[in-house]
Amino acid sequence: MQNGDEGVVVYCKKCGNQLTEEDIFCPNCGTKKVSLEQINKLDKAPGFFEKAKIFCARNKWLVCIVASVSAAVLIIAIGIFSMVAYQIHRRNALRTRNSNYASDEGRTSRSNGIDFSSLHKYENSTYKIGSTMPAGEYVLFTNSSISGYFCLSSDSSGMTSSIITNDNFNYTSIITVEDGEYLELSRCYAEPIGTAGTLTTSGEGMFKIGTHLSSGEYELQATESISGYYCIYSDSRRSKIVSNDNFMGTKYVTVRDGQYLELSRCKIVK
């Protein structure tokens, strides 16, 4: 829109076509003509920030309410975040403390009659796992000149069907027990495998590969004229036999970490 000698010259705001005073719509694109008075009003119209200032000045009470609610929400959010952070810190600190407590050798914590001392020995008796003896893996040592005996049962019925595993053994054996089971020890005692110390591997016994013996191939030699016997288990509950044999003379076996090697009437040559 321009001012000339003959009056006001108006152009279409959309396509730029010159319009006459009689035109209400642009004959070229159909857009409605905007008058000079309307343009001046648009030019003088307040912007977004000016409108916001006017609104705030006219509605101070509403602004105060919004500000108060926002501040309250922020304070609550900070409080919740602080509480969650404290709980996480407290839980981690408790875990660290319990871990350090469990690792202190010889320290005793009694719960339901169980002695959790890492140096505790369980002598000849029958134990209920989880009540009078903690669940876990144990090394069994004979304390008799003949042999030791253990029996692990699923209940206290005394029936043969409840026996999970049992054995007469010389020198050492290894067993893992779980809560609710019953372990009978006769002519032997049990120690947690983590504190049982180094076992003598030059003769009979049961050994955990990776703990008492390295993985690899071993030559075995029978120590009695009748025969020697070996058995490789996949775990210390004796649930799966990997390999076993009665043999005369010598025998070669290969064992892997996590397996268990039981030797009877034989020994490791190399």
Side-chain angles (χ1 to χ4, degrees):
M1 180 176 292
Q2 297 179 352
N3 291 324
D5 296 335
E6 297 180 353
V8 178
V9 179
V10 180
Y11 296 93
C12 176
K13 65 179 182 179
K14 183 174 182 181
C15 67
N17 183 49
Q18 184 173 337
L19 307 177
T20 66
E21 293 184 3
E22 291 78 14
D23 291 330
I24 298 176
F25 296 93
C26 175
N28 182 48
C29 65
T31 302
K32 187 175 181 180
K33 183 174 67 176
V34 180
S35 66
L36 181 61
E37 182 181 358
Q38 290 174 318
I39 291 175
N40 291 334
K41 288 182 178 180
L42 289 174
D43 291 340
K44 296 178 180 179
F48 172 80
F49 292 105
E50 286 75 13
K51 289 181 179 179
K53 290 180 181 179
I54 295 172
F55 177 83
C56 291
R58 293 178 177 177
N59 301 277
K60 292 182 179 179
W61 61 273
L62 181 59
V63 173
C64 292
I65 292 175
V66 172
S68 300
V69 172
S70 300
V73 170
L74 180 61
I75 292 172
I76 293 173
I78 293 174
I80 294 174
F81 176 80
S82 301
M83 184 182 300
V84 171
Y86 171 74
Q87 291 297 332
I88 293 174
H89 172 74
R90 184 172 179 271
R91 182 176 58 189
N92 291 339
L94 183 61
R95 287 178 178 175
T96 302
R97 187 185 68 181
N98 290 341
S99 177
N100 293 337
Y101 180 84
S103 64
D104 287 342
E105 187 170 289
R107 181 177 291 181
T108 300
S109 172
R110 294 187 175 274
S111 177
N112 297 327
I114 304 177
D115 187 348
F116 285 99
S117 169
S118 59
L119 298 179
H120 185 71
K121 293 182 180 180
Y122 297 88
E123 306 286 351
N124 296 336
S125 187
T126 298
Y127 299 91
K128 183 176 182 179
I129 310 304
S131 295
T132 56
M133 183 178 187
E137 190 170 40
Y138 292 85
V139 178
L140 309 182
F141 298 88
T142 59
N143 55 12
S144 171
S145 59
I146 46 176
S147 66
Y149 172 78
F150 76 88
C151 181
L152 181 64
S153 304
S154 59
D155 56 49
S156 58
S157 65
M159 299 178 62
T160 303
S161 59
S162 69
I163 295 176
I164 299 172
T165 182
N166 64 344
D167 196 17
N168 286 286
F169 64 96
N170 293 322
Y171 303 108
T172 61
S173 189
I174 303 174
I175 186 67
T176 294
V177 295
E178 299 177 355
D179 286 343
E181 296 175 343
Y182 294 80
L183 179 64
E184 177 188 353
L185 300 177
S186 179
R187 305 183 304 277
C188 64
Y189 62 91
E191 289 187 28
I193 193 169
T195 57
T198 303
L199 303 187
T200 301
T201 59
S202 59
E204 297 181 53
M206 186 173 180
F207 311 103
K208 184 175 183 178
I209 310 305
T211 300
H212 307 123
L213 289 172
S214 300
S215 61
E217 185 181 68
Y218 290 89
E219 180 184 357
L220 309 180
Q221 183 177 50
T223 56
E224 295 187 15
S225 58
I226 48 174
S227 66
Y229 173 78
Y230 82 90
C231 185
I232 301 173
Y233 295 101
S234 61
D235 57 53
S236 59
R237 290 177 68 82
R238 298 167 171 80
S239 59
K240 181 180 179 181
I241 294 177
V242 178
S243 173
N244 68 338
D245 194 17
N246 287 286
F247 65 95
M248 301 293 293
T250 59
K251 181 80 174 182
Y252 289 89
V253 298
T254 298
V255 290
R256 297 179 175 85
D257 285 344
Q259 294 179 339
Y260 295 78
L261 177 62
E262 182 181 50
L263 302 178
S264 179
R265 307 186 305 277
C266 66
K267 64 180 181 178
I268 296 174
V269 179
K270 60 180 179 179

